Amino acid sequence: MTNNSAKSNLTATADVLRELPDIPRRDNEPVFDEPWQAEVFALSLSLHEQGVFTWTEWAHTLSSTIKEAQRDGDPDLGNTYYLHWLSALEQLIIDKNLGDAAQLNKLHKAWDTAARNTAHGLPITLP
Amino acid sequence: MNNNETTAASKASKPTHEHTHDHEHSHLDETELRVRALKSLLSEKGYLDPEALNVLIDTYQHQVGPQNGARVVARAWTDSTFKQWLLEDASAAIASLGFTGRQGEHMVVVENTSDVHNMVVCTLCSCYPWPVLGLPPSWYKSAPYRARAVSDPVGVLAEFGITLPTGKSISVWDSTAEVRYLVLPEQPANTEHLSEQQLGELVTRNSMIGTGLPDPASAVSQ
């Protein structure tokens, strides 16, 4: 168990507090901002339920992905959260040998081509 | 051509007749392409069940939310035996109300008292007790909250509009993939006459994370 119990530090200096960014808050926000976020969320849950990875493996991959993004300059204010989720899912699928990066790239290109060859407003499908 | 397309086209750098050609085709942005590629791969490998995905999305979008946690809290306020059970074995007590986790995590309930205020964070990512609170709000997932809940809990509470009485200490609990915390807030004064259901309506999401308190204003309006 790794619960940290931290007592409040009432003597923290004002200087330190000034450097801390505000917490971004919105009231009554939707659970998902865009449909793809719901899809990647459900994909992870579904793969976990199918036994592809444990939830601990998932949490570990997600937190590593978030740390990496922060190192690369993402202010990480919660709005990029599902992008990190998507990156973590790609990584874990590769780690678990369900596919490799080359296959994902190939499919990525195929969908791009399919979209460009599909008339506006029609459903996009792979040939 | 509808109005939207006209607007989009008029923003193009050179409004030549060529732009109409572009608009006859679809475009998927980078994120959509990644998601579609992922789904295609999983479909090829037999790991994609669109029906199951729809059920999961519907469940988390519409059925699971902080109202589940509010029911747990209201039950604890009105039933001391349940409360004891909740503090000793939260996973079992919560499951008895029909709220069970999908990730096999262990639930722990921490009780606010006149001496201690509890606050929950996940410093690593955003572990959160989904079965009782639904999916986390953006601020819970943000780096400033994850860092400051530990380094400056008093300041964080102030941003949420809460000032604790002098002498009350704050305990901050760091959730993990294995252990999820839920705060059992103190029952507001003068609400003993309310029913369990009415009490549940006072329990806000933030009060169960520790960045809020039950809303006694709702009690007055009951």
Side-chain angles (χ1 to χ4, degrees):
Chain A
M1 312 263 148
T2 55
N3 64 58
N4 298 335
S5 188
K7 291 280 176 198
S8 67
N9 184 359
L10 290 163
T11 57
T13 64
D15 282 351
V16 171
L17 294 182
R18 261 198 291 278
E19 287 170 20
L20 294 168
D22 285 346
I23 295 162
R25 291 209 310 276
R26 283 186 296 165
D27 289 330
N28 300 320
E29 61 180 282
V31 173
F32 302 109
D33 283 321
E34 295 176 47
W36 69 266
Q37 299 179 348
E39 287 194 304
V40 294
F41 167 80
L43 278 173
S44 294
L45 247 66
S46 161
L47 289 173
H48 164 64
E49 286 177 357
Q50 294 175 74
V52 174
F53 47 73
T54 67
W55 203 251
T56 305
E57 287 175 310
W58 167 254
H60 177 76
T61 308
L62 179 60
S63 66
S64 306
T65 306
I66 291 173
K67 274 196 204 116
E68 207 171 297
Q70 284 180 317
R71 268 200 304 272
D72 292 345
D74 182 353
D76 189 21
L77 299 178
N79 52 342
T80 47
Y81 180 74
Y82 282 106
L83 275 177
H84 304 325
W85 187 292
L86 171 58
S87 300
L89 189 53
E90 288 168 341
Q91 185 59 50
L92 204 44
I93 279 171
I94 292 168
D95 290 349
K96 292 291 175 183
N97 296 317
L98 262 59
D100 56 34
Q103 284 173 294
L104 280 175
N105 281 335
K106 199 176 148 201
L107 286 163
H108 186 287
K109 285 202 184 91
W111 275 112
D112 194 23
T113 307
R116 290 174 201 281
N117 291 333
T118 303
H120 191 78
L122 292 178
I124 303 164
T125 53
L126 284 188
Chain B
M1 191 179 267
N2 66 31
N3 283 337
N4 285 340
E5 283 175 319
T6 310
T7 310
S10 66
K11 280 181 188 160
S13 53
K14 266 190 185 174
T16 68
H17 65 273
E18 281 170 7
H19 70 256
T20 54
H21 180 79
D22 286 343
H23 281 270
E24 286 165 13
H25 298 275
S26 298
H27 173 74
L28 293 171
D29 72 21
E30 175 61 20
T31 304
E32 288 171 321
L33 289 171
R34 285 170 66 190
V35 174
R36 288 201 186 219
L38 204 52
K39 286 172 69 181
S40 295
L41 178 74
L42 293 171
S43 177
E44 280 174 20
K45 308 283 174 179
Y47 283 101
L48 189 76
D49 178 353
E51 204 39 53
L53 293 186
N54 287 339
V55 170
L56 283 170
I57 291 168
D58 180 62
T59 301
Y60 279 94
Q61 214 155 19
H62 305 294
Q63 294 170 38
V64 180
Q67 70 274 7
N68 292 359
R71 276 191 53 201
V72 173
V73 169
R75 175 66 59 87
W77 283 348
T78 52
D79 179 342
S80 59
T81 310
F82 180 81
K83 178 179 158 184
Q84 202 55 39
W85 187 19
L86 188 66
L87 295 175
E88 283 165 9
D89 184 357
S91 301
I94 291 169
S96 78
L97 296 180
F99 312 133
T100 52
R102 287 180 172 277
Q103 288 72 48
E105 70 271 13
H106 182 61
M107 288 284 310
V108 171
V109 168
V110 286
E111 183 186 15
N112 284 353
T113 66
S114 51
D115 298 324
V116 182
H117 180 85
N118 294 286
M119 206 165 113
V120 181
V121 65
C122 171
T123 53
L124 284 180
C125 43
S126 63
C127 297
Y128 190 73
W130 296 348
V132 280
L133 293 186
L135 294 175
S138 286
W139 58 259
Y140 185 87
K141 300 177 286 201
S142 74
Y145 179 75
R146 303 203 312 270
R148 293 188 46 210
V150 175
S151 68
D152 176 26
V154 173
V156 168
L157 286 178
E159 275 184 43
F160 281 89
I162 294 175
T163 313
L164 296 175
T166 323
K168 194 178 251 205
S169 65
I170 304 177
S171 287
V172 180
W173 302 86
D174 193 358
S175 296
T176 66
E178 291 85 20
V179 186
R180 311 280 172 106
Y181 297 96
L182 182 75
V183 174
L184 174 59
E186 286 182 280
Q187 182 170 350
N190 308 317
T191 57
E192 293 76 13
H193 61 288
L194 297 179
S195 70
E196 188 178 324
Q197 194 188 338
Q198 287 170 322
L199 286 170
E201 288 165 16
L202 315 186
V203 184
T204 61
R205 175 190 65 197
N206 289 9
S207 74
M208 295 180 279
I209 305 175
T211 55
L213 299 172
D215 185 5
S218 311
V220 175
S221 68
Q222 292 291 330

